[in-house]
Amino acid sequence: MKSYLITILIRDGEHEYSDKTILELTDEQLESPSDIISLWRGFDNKPYEAYSEWYEFGGFDYRHYQVYSIQEIKPDDRQILHSYDIY
């Protein structure tokens, strides 16, 4: 598995903001925005695509989520991030 810096866009009513996280993903997970969002939220269930690249979890969460960017973390950069207790 490789490590990636993931940027997620969140629409919460009238507000839109982003969150960044580092995830280790398989090739299959990398191709599935719903898997990435599910891992990011820590939920067992997967969100469904509400409309064009925006996902939601349904009844208990009214927010919409989008995987905005995925950037692979190079092995040398992992060491730097680890030295700062980021990863």
Side-chain angles (χ1 to χ4, degrees):
M1 288 198 299
K2 295 180 182 177
S3 298
Y4 298 89
L5 175 65
I6 310 289
T7 303
I8 306 285
L9 289 181
I10 303 121
R11 285 188 180 163
D12 185 1
E14 296 179 4
H15 305 286
E16 187 171 302
Y17 50 95
S18 65
D19 186 53
K20 294 183 185 278
T21 190
I22 295 173
L23 295 174
E24 288 185 352
L25 303 172
T26 64
D27 291 339
E28 294 81 25
Q29 291 170 325
L30 185 61
E31 298 298 320
S32 173
S34 65
D35 283 350
I36 293 170
I37 293 168
S38 182
L39 288 168
W40 169 72
R41 288 292 304 232
F43 292 153
D44 289 335
N45 59 337
K46 292 183 184 180
Y48 62 91
E49 190 169 9
Y51 56 97
S52 186
E53 299 181 8
W54 286 91
Y55 293 80
E56 66 181 36
F57 283 95
F60 62 91
D61 189 1
Y62 56 89
R63 295 177 188 96
H64 292 106
Y65 306 94
Q66 181 184 61
V67 176
Y68 182 73
S69 71
I70 301 171
Q71 185 176 9
E72 185 177 344
I73 298 173
K74 299 175 187 172
D76 293 341
D77 294 340
R78 288 177 71 177
Q79 293 175 358
I80 293 169
L81 292 171
H82 184 69
S83 70
Y84 288 100
D85 292 328
I86 295 173
Y87 174 70

